[in-house]
């Protein structure tokens, strides 16, 4: 078939990173998918049009909004035609053309308009649609996803997926569905490439912390005390202990192995709780699970997470089988509900829901916003262009008088505006822009009328301040309020704009933004990344622009890590690539790059904030850091970083690296041996003279075994489990790499690819590939992270073993990565390469009875890591 778009041609010059992506795209089309991740400002739309042009077949382009849909047609005419005269396009899905631009909603509505699925898919077959372009693919909802899957399965099209942020923080089912539709990520444009090409401005993220007020602190402390008291009572509750001892999993373990293996956490939580109560767990029960009589089992501490697992099963998942105990369970349920530890069918003893809502909506963040805006304004003065994005409008606070501003207790557009209005000196630069209310200062009324026409808007006084006007468009107005206020913001008539993320968070373009405050707590890090993209775009009128992005967090003073609000930021920062605050700056994702302390105490908040405000004023340092970091690397690399493990939440702990622990044992042994030998020799001179050297040597060996045998054994255990970690991880990586090559997943030449394992400056072990493509990087790190993660329910286990390891109880269990473990043939290929690099192993299929025994044993072996992150994938510019 002739290329339908041969007359289209890109009329400008491709950027280097765009050219590289386009050169590689054809080899990714072998599976009829091309999935691209690219940040805002990278030209995803024009890249999409060029890909459509290269494929040359009738195309359906799907966008989340009408604005973005229209941008596609605009970019096509502006960048690919000389006279903007391309006619073979359509905005009407019922009348497709060579390229049809529509929204996801339109496609879904068309789907529902047909009587049957066959009629729906036949429509596209009739019109010979052969390419689907999914723009902002992270928007795909369940209903839209199903419509697209039905269409994809019927017409087998090329699927081109474009997104700035894959929805990694969705649940596993949604992530799986997303990749089934879009295919694996084929290529990625890195933020450093765009900063280097000046398509994005240098920028930095800052975290401004706040402390809850006294009422909030009292609420948190009271909640924690209630939960602690509840746990203490439960541990001495003889009725509850008897209930667990009589539970079918414990009392008749061997008769319920099938159910038990299906819910390992439940059974584990019963054993851990009873062990904490002082109940001696019979060896027979552990032998049934695959443990030998001689093995010593060290039960983990009973944490709140384990109690949650136990109660979630007893009160929800397993309740129907416990009907004879219903009255007791009901009383337990009522007690938990009274403490807000049980809501909507979910046990929550840590306060993830209750305390998180309290902290994320804390009015202390209103004060944080005022402080940040004031600091930015004083530093930039007339150059400030600050946007504050939040979730709700909250019009009920419009009438709050000045003397009651401090009583506002909710975050929203109007509360933020009211706080700024009452605390900010130059309030004439303030404005509100949302879907249902627009507020401007009286001083720019004339400017609004000049831009839009005096007859197109009506004005009324803002209820609590006559200096401000509520702007209302009249019907038939040609220019929208968004257009007018955006222009005034660009000009500097408005310097501080408060709005909703739904209106301004995506698709809105104001290149002059140089300070963005994210006061949003609803939604995923996908939307966070989209909002952040507003501030990092280059400004053609200001080539020296530097963007500051502010994130707000209210700490939980009872949690050493800062609490749930900080944890949420940690997850969101996985989607953000940026430059670090380190002496030698690097570009990477994650919160670690900002060097926030691991433990955040309430008394340290003010000092941390002062440092943050000071750093935010040094925009030249941000520029220099980007330049140094970009020059130190050439491409984006995925790495696996092994984490430090904390076993007990909410308690301060001393962190000890495994290598330091092993080294300590060896030094202790050598020192002890030296002192022991000297002392023993001096004491035994008489023995040597009377009975001879042979008798002395025999007695020395016996004395050494008695004195140091156990220490030698413990040191050997440490070496076996944790020593040589550097070399072991590298060999694991080589086993994965060789398996990927044998299964045909790698396209780069084998001799050019190597596994790197090294310790970072912070002492963390890092493993990655050298010289691999981004897709190969993703496959490798995905497999390695699954291999190192706490064991869940893999189809195959691999056990690192030997004669001595079995005798000394030192066998190591690992989950075979999903991409190798979905079929026995592939699992055996992985085992072959494992044996070549790491020595003998056993491959265990976990779906039969013996395999499930070993699976449970493996999970108990790793049980201390159950609620901890063992490793994580990081993106680094190297």
């Amino acid at each position: 078939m002739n290329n339908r778009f041969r007359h289209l041609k890109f009329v400008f010059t491709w950027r280097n990173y765009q050219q590289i992506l386009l050169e590689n795209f054809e080899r990714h089309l072998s599976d009829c998918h091309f999935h691209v991740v690219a940040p805002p400002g990278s030209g995803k739309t024009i890249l999409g049009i060029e890909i459509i042009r290269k494929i040359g077949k009738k195309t359906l382009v799907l966008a989340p909004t009408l604005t973005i849909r229209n941008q596609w047609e605009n970019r096509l005419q502006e960048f690919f035609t000389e006279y903007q005269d391309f006619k073979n396009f359509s905005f009407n899905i019922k009348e497709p053309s060579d390229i049809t631009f529509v929204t996801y909603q339109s496609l879904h509505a068309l789907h529902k308009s047909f009587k049957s699925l066959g009629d729906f898919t036949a429509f596209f077959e009739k019109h010979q649609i052969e390419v689907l372009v999914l723009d902002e693919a992270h928007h795909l909802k369940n209903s839209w996803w199903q419509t697209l899957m039905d269409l994809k399965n019927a017409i087998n099209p090329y699927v081109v997926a474009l997104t700035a942020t894959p929805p990694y923080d969705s649940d596993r089912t949604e992530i799986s569905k997303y990749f089934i539709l879009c295919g694996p990520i084929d290529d990625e444009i890195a933020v450093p490439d765009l900063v280097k090409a000046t398509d994005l401005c240098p920028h930095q993220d800052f975290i401004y912390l706040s402390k809850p007020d006294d009422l909030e602190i009292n609420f948190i402390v009271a909640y924690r005390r209630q939960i602690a008291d509840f746990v203490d009572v439960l541990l001495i509750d003889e009725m509850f202990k008897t209930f667990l001892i009589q539970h079918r999993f414990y009392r008749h373990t061997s008769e319920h192995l099938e159910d038990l293996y299906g819910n390992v956490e439940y059974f584990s939580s019963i054993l851990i709780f009873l062990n904490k109560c002082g109940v001696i767990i019979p060896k027979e029960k552990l032998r049934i699970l695959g443990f030998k009589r001689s093995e010593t089992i060290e039960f983990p501490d009973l944490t709140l997470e384990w109690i949650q697992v136990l109660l979630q099963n007893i009160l929800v998942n397993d309740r129907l089988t416990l009907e004879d105990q219903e009255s007791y369970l009901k009383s337990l349920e009522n007690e938990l509900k009274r403490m807000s530890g049980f809501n909507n069918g979910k046990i929550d003893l840590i306060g993830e829901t209750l305390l998180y809502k309290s902290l994320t909506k804390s009015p202390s963040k209103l004060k944080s916003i005022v402080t940040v805006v004031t600091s930015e304004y004083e530093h930039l003065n007339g150059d400030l262009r600050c946007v504050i994005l939040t979730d709700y409008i909250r019009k009920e606070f419009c009438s709050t008088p000045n003397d009651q501003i401090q009583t506002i207790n909710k975050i929203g557009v109007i509360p933020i505006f009211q706080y700024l209005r009452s605390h900010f000196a130059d309030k004439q630069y303030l404005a509100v822009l949302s879907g249902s209310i627009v507020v401007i200062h009286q001083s720019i009324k004339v400017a609004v009328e000049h831009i839009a026409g005096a007859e197109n808007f009506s004005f009324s006084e803002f209820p609590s301040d006559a200096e401000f006007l509520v702007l209302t468009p009249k019907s038939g107005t040609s220019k929208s309020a968004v257009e007018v206020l955006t222009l005034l913001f660009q000009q500097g008539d408005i310097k501080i704009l408060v709005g909703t993320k739904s209106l301004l968070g995506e698709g809105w373009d104001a290149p002059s933004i140089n300070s963005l405050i994210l006061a949003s707590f609803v939604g995923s890090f996908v939307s966070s990344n989209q909002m952040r993209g507003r501030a990092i775009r280059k400004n053609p009128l200001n080539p020296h622009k530097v963007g500051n992005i502010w994130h707000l967090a209210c700490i939980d003073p009872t949690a050493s890590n800062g609490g749930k609000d900080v944890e949420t930021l940690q997850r969101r920062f996985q989607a953000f690539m940026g430059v670090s605050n380190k002496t030698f700056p690097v570009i990477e994702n994650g919160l670690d790059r900002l060097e926030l302390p691991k433990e955040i105490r309430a008394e340290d908040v003010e000092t941390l904030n002062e440092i943050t405000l000071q750093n935010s004023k040094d925009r030249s340092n941000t520029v220099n850091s980007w330049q140094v970091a970009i020059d130190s690397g050439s491409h984006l690399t995925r790495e696996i970083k092994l984490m430090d493990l904390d076993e007990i939440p909410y308690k301060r702990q001393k962190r000890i690296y495994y290598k330091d622990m092993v080294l300590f044992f060896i030094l202790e042994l050598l020192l002890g041996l030296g002192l022991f030998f000297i002392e023993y020799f001096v004491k035994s001179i008489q023995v040597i003279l009377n009975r001879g050297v042979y008798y002395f040597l025999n007695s020395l060996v016996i004395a050494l075994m008695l004195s140091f045998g156990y220490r030698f054994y413990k040191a050997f255990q440490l070496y076996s489990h944790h020593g040589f970690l550097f070399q072991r991880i590298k060999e694991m990586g080589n086993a994965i790499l060789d398996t990927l090559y044998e299964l045909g997943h790698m396209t780069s030449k084998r001799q050019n690819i190597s596994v790197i394992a090294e310790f970072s400056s912070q002492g963390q072990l890092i493993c990655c590939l050298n010289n691999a493509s981004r897709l190969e990087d993703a496959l490798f790190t995905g497999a390695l992270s699954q291999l190192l993660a706490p064991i869940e329910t893999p189809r195959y286990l691999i056990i690192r073993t030997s004669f001595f390891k079995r005798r000394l109880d030192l066998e190591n269990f690992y989950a075979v990565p999903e991409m190798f473990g979905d079929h026995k043939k592939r699992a055996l290929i992985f085992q072959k390469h494992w044996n070549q690099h790491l020595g003998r192993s056993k491959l265990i299929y976990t779906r039969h009875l013996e395999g499930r025994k070993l699976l449970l044993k493996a999970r108990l072996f790793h049980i201390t890591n159950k609620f901890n992150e063992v490793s994580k994938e990081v993106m680094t510019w190297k």
Side-chain angles (χ1 to χ4, degrees):
M1 182 184 294
N2 291 330
N3 190 316
R4 293 173 180 272
F5 310 116
R6 60 186 178 276
H7 299 301
L8 294 177
K9 183 180 180 181
F10 186 60
V11 297
F12 298 99
T13 303
W14 293 110
R15 296 282 190 179
N16 182 56
Y17 57 83
Q18 294 171 333
Q19 186 65 48
I20 292 171
L21 182 142
L22 292 170
E23 287 172 356
N24 293 332
F25 105 94
E26 286 187 4
R27 70 187 181 94
H28 293 301
L29 277 180
S30 57
D31 63 350
C32 293
H33 294 84
F34 188 52
H35 188 178
V36 177
V37 176
S42 58
K44 286 195 299 293
T45 304
I46 59 173
L47 285 168
I49 295 169
E50 176 66 7
I51 291 165
I52 293 169
R53 192 190 70 80
K54 283 177 174 288
I55 296 174
K57 301 179 183 297
K58 286 188 77 171
T59 300
L60 179 66
V61 176
L62 293 146
T65 66
L66 288 172
T67 301
I68 296 174
R69 182 205 70 175
N70 295 341
Q71 283 176 3
W72 274 83
E73 191 267 337
N74 176 269
R75 298 291 191 274
L76 184 150
Q77 302 289 6
E78 185 178 348
F79 289 91
F80 289 85
T81 67
E82 190 173 350
Y83 302 108
Q84 301 195 13
D85 55 355
F86 182 78
K87 304 297 184 184
N88 297 337
F89 73 91
S90 172
F91 286 139
N92 185 353
I93 194 169
K94 294 180 180 180
E95 298 177 6
S97 187
D98 287 350
I99 303 183
T100 305
F101 304 105
V102 298
T103 62
Y104 291 108
Q105 297 97 317
S106 297
L107 178 68
H108 184 57
L110 181 71
H111 189 191
K112 292 195 295 183
S113 71
F114 284 97
K115 292 182 179 179
S116 69
L117 175 60
D119 291 341
F120 170 69
T121 56
F123 172 83
F124 291 93
E125 290 172 341
K126 173 186 173 183
H127 288 282
Q128 299 180 324
I129 302 293
E130 297 182 71
V131 181
L132 294 179
V133 177
L134 312 178
D135 191 23
E136 306 291 0
H138 54 267
H139 278 282
L140 294 174
K141 300 175 182 176
N142 285 332
S143 56
W144 298 353
W145 179 87
Q146 190 59 59
T147 298
L148 284 162
M149 280 305 300
D150 290 340
L151 183 57
K152 178 183 175 181
N153 292 334
I155 67 174
N156 193 29
Y158 291 99
V159 176
V160 179
L162 308 169
T163 183
T165 314
Y168 288 127
D169 64 340
S170 300
D171 62 52
R172 295 184 66 176
T173 303
E174 287 188 10
I175 295 171
S176 175
K177 289 165 68 174
Y178 171 84
F179 284 106
I180 288 170
L181 176 61
C182 299
I185 294 171
D186 292 297
D187 215 334
E188 188 167 350
I189 293 176
V191 167
D193 283 323
L194 282 100
V195 176
K196 185 177 183 179
T198 69
D199 286 336
L200 292 181
C201 71
H203 53 277
Q204 184 57 288
D205 295 277
F206 297 96
I207 294 175
Y208 197 88
L209 303 170
S210 61
K211 294 181 288 187
D213 59 29
D214 291 341
L215 283 176
E216 290 176 299
I217 292 174
N218 292 339
F219 172 73
I220 293 168
V221 171
Y223 178 80
R224 296 271 188 238
R225 187 180 294 118
Q226 275 188 315
I227 295 298
D229 291 344
F230 170 79
V231 171
D232 288 343
V233 170
L234 200 62
L235 283 168
I236 59 173
D237 185 344
E238 289 297 322
M239 191 171 180
F240 188 70
K241 185 165 73 173
T242 302
F243 165 77
L244 292 182
I245 291 172
Q246 295 297 320
H247 192 283
R248 67 187 188 283
F249 279 6
Y250 189 82
R251 189 177 184 185
H252 304 293
T253 308
S254 59
E255 298 172 20
H256 297 279
L257 290 179
E258 196 67 31
D259 287 346
L260 186 151
Y261 292 140
N263 195 344
V264 177
E265 292 90 355
Y266 187 14
F267 181 63
S268 301
S269 65
I270 292 173
L271 295 184
I272 294 165
F273 191 93
L274 288 175
N275 177 72
K276 183 68 174 180
C277 291
V279 175
I280 298 173
I281 309 298
K283 291 278 188 180
E284 308 83 63
K285 297 191 183 302
L286 297 173
R287 283 213 333 265
I288 287 173
L289 304 178
F291 290 94
K292 299 171 186 174
R293 184 183 294 274
S294 59
E295 290 186 61
T296 302
I297 307 302
E298 293 185 12
F299 284 90
D301 288 322
L302 180 68
T303 62
L304 289 177
E305 288 94 343
W306 278 119
I307 299 173
Q308 283 183 174
V309 170
L310 179 61
L311 295 177
Q312 182 69 35
N313 279 279
I314 288 172
L315 295 178
V316 182
N317 305 345
D318 194 34
R319 192 146 179 178
L320 290 177
T321 67
L322 305 170
E323 289 179 342
D324 56 333
Q325 299 287 333
E326 180 57 30
S327 60
Y328 175 65
L329 296 183
K330 190 65 179 176
S331 66
L332 203 59
E333 176 186 322
N334 290 337
E335 178 66 13
L336 283 164
K337 284 183 175 178
R338 185 183 64 79
M339 300 184 301
S340 299
F342 186 22
N343 291 296
N344 299 319
K346 184 180 179 182
I347 301 292
D348 181 9
L349 303 182
I350 297 172
E352 288 193 355
T353 302
L354 184 68
L355 300 186
Y356 179 47
K357 285 182 179 178
S358 169
L359 293 172
T360 52
K361 299 176 184 178
S362 172
S364 65
K365 292 183 178 180
L366 294 168
K367 298 173 186 175
S368 297
I369 292 169
V370 171
T371 303
V372 169
V373 170
T374 302
S375 174
E376 292 278 68
Y377 182 75
E378 289 174 353
H379 179 60
L380 292 175
N381 199 4
D383 292 331
L384 177 65
R385 299 293 186 276
C386 178
V387 172
I388 305 157
L389 294 179
T390 190
D391 302 292
Y392 304 112
I393 297 172
R394 305 203 187 280
K395 289 185 184 178
E396 64 270 23
F397 292 102
C398 282
S399 302
T400 305
N402 289 340
D403 60 353
Q404 294 182 27
I405 296 293
Q406 300 294 333
T407 64
I408 294 177
N409 59 0
K410 291 182 179 179
I411 297 284
V413 170
I414 298 302
I416 292 169
F417 171 71
Q418 292 280 41
Y419 251 77
L420 286 170
R421 180 184 64 77
S422 63
H423 291 84
F424 190 64
D426 296 336
K427 61 181 181 179
Q428 70 269 22
Y429 294 122
L430 282 172
V432 165
L433 179 55
S434 69
S436 62
I437 184 170
V438 179
V439 182
I440 61 169
H441 193 265
Q442 277 191 349
S443 60
I444 63 170
K445 179 186 176 186
V446 173
V448 171
E449 292 175 334
H450 177 73
I451 294 169
E455 71 283 357
N456 288 319
F457 290 96
S458 61
F459 302 90
S460 58
E461 284 189 3
F462 185 71
S464 56
D465 192 334
E467 283 189 51
F468 286 89
L469 301 172
V470 176
L471 184 151
T472 307
K474 296 178 181 178
S475 60
T477 300
S478 59
K479 285 189 178 293
S480 69
V482 174
E483 289 179 88
V484 174
L485 263 68
T486 301
L487 181 58
L488 292 171
F489 181 76
Q490 292 284 94
Q491 293 175 180
D493 296 287
I494 297 169
K495 299 186 189 299
I496 302 152
L497 189 60
V498 187
T500 53
K501 70 169 190 182
S502 59
L503 184 65
L504 306 180
E506 184 174 350
W508 181 63
D509 195 16
S512 62
I513 300 172
N514 53 22
S515 183
L516 174 69
I517 301 175
L518 297 177
S520 169
F521 51 88
V522 174
S524 62
F525 65 35
V526 170
S527 61
S528 299
N529 204 32
Q530 291 292 327
M531 289 187 285
R532 187 172 172 271
R534 304 308 100 204
I536 66 178
R537 290 182 182 273
K538 70 175 181 180
N539 183 4
L541 301 178
N542 179 12
H544 303 295
K545 170 187 165 181
V546 176
N548 282 356
I549 303 106
W550 292 89
H551 308 262
L552 309 177
C554 183
I555 69 161
D556 177 354
T558 65
S560 63
N561 67 349
K564 189 69 177 178
D565 218 9
V566 176
E567 288 177 20
T568 299
L569 280 184
Q570 288 174 332
R571 286 199 306 274
R572 289 185 175 183
F573 265 71
Q574 289 303 109
F576 304 155
M577 289 293 300
V579 69
S580 70
N581 283 336
K582 299 167 186 173
T583 306
F584 299 101
V586 296
I587 299 167
E588 60 187 3
N589 68 333
L591 193 59
D592 291 349
R593 66 183 172 85
L594 298 187
E595 302 204 306
L596 202 65
K598 298 289 185 184
E599 297 180 1
I600 302 174
R601 300 178 301 174
E603 55 267 34
D604 296 334
V605 165
E606 288 184 15
T607 302
L608 290 171
N609 284 339
E610 286 175 10
I611 294 171
T612 299
L613 289 173
Q614 195 60 40
N615 289 339
S616 72
K617 294 175 183 177
D618 193 356
R619 279 173 155 83
S620 62
N621 181 60
T622 299
V623 175
N624 293 334
S625 294
W626 274 101
Q627 290 174 344
V628 170
I630 286 172
D631 290 342
S632 68
S634 60
H635 64 282
L636 210 55
T637 300
R638 278 185 170 85
E639 298 177 338
I640 291 293
K641 183 185 291 185
L642 266 69
M643 310 303 295
D644 301 325
L645 301 181
D646 292 330
E647 294 181 11
I648 307 172
Y650 308 116
K651 290 188 179 180
R652 190 173 182 177
Q653 299 177 73
K654 186 177 180 182
R655 298 164 185 267
I656 303 175
Y657 290 107
Y658 293 138
K659 60 187 178 74
D660 294 335
M661 192 158 52
V662 174
L663 181 62
F664 174 77
F665 262 96
I666 297 302
L667 290 174
E668 184 187 35
L669 280 170
L670 291 175
L671 181 61
L673 280 169
L675 294 173
F676 174 86
F677 185 83
I678 294 170
E679 183 183 1
Y680 192 80
F681 182 80
V682 171
K683 289 181 178 179
S684 303
I685 291 177
Q686 190 66 34
V687 174
I688 296 172
L689 295 174
N690 293 337
R691 301 195 180 187
V693 175
Y694 179 75
Y695 184 86
F696 165 76
L697 290 175
N698 277 340
S699 62
L700 176 64
V701 170
I702 293 170
L704 280 170
M705 290 179 65
L706 291 174
S707 300
F708 291 95
Y710 180 71
R711 289 188 180 183
F712 269 116
Y713 170 70
K714 292 301 290 183
F716 183 74
Q717 269 195 323
L718 283 169
Y719 264 119
S720 179
H721 282 305
H722 310 300
F724 307 116
L725 190 60
F726 173 90
Q727 187 62 32
R728 189 194 300 177
I729 294 299
K730 186 172 183 178
E731 294 308 326
M732 286 179 178
N734 280 316
I736 289 171
L737 184 59
D738 288 345
T739 307
L740 288 171
Y741 268 101
E742 184 165 344
L743 293 176
H745 293 298
M746 306 288 285
T747 56
S748 301
K749 291 181 180 180
R750 180 64 179 91
Q751 61 267 29
N752 295 336
I753 305 293
S754 59
V755 177
I756 297 174
E758 59 190 10
F759 285 101
S760 70
S761 57
Q762 288 78 38
Q764 293 168 315
L765 182 57
I766 290 171
C767 186
C768 63
L769 287 184
N770 187 36
N771 292 328
S773 70
R774 286 169 185 169
L775 176 59
E776 292 166 343
D777 268 343
L779 293 173
F780 175 81
T781 54
L784 184 57
S785 62
Q786 288 176 19
L787 186 68
L788 297 173
I791 293 170
E792 296 291 338
T793 55
R795 288 174 66 85
Y796 286 94
L797 281 174
I798 196 161
I799 305 178
R800 188 166 177 258
T801 187
S802 67
F803 175 81
F804 292 106
K805 283 179 175 292
R806 287 196 299 273
R807 291 293 177 269
L808 295 172
D809 180 29
L810 297 175
E811 292 178 307
N812 302 113
F813 300 86
Y814 300 93
V816 174
E818 288 179 14
M819 65 185 307
F820 308 147
D822 61 343
H823 193 278
K824 185 176 182 180
K825 181 180 178 180
R826 285 187 281 274
L828 287 170
I829 291 172
F830 176 63
Q831 185 191 23
K832 177 184 73 175
H833 292 295
W834 176 282
N835 291 346
Q836 290 170 355
H837 291 283
L838 290 123
R840 288 185 58 190
S841 66
K842 290 191 294 186
L843 188 69
I844 305 296
Y845 181 62
T846 64
R847 297 303 190 257
H848 56 55
L849 195 60
E850 279 305 308
R852 288 190 174 184
K853 280 187 181 182
L854 281 171
L855 176 60
L856 183 53
K857 178 180 178 180
R859 295 185 72 174
L860 286 172
F861 186 81
H862 286 272
I863 216 161
T864 53
N865 297 340
K866 172 62 190 171
F867 302 107
N868 294 69
E869 191 177 32
V870 177
S871 65
K872 68 178 179 182
E873 294 185 38
V874 294
M875 299 289 290
T876 305
W877 180 258
K878 299 187 86 168

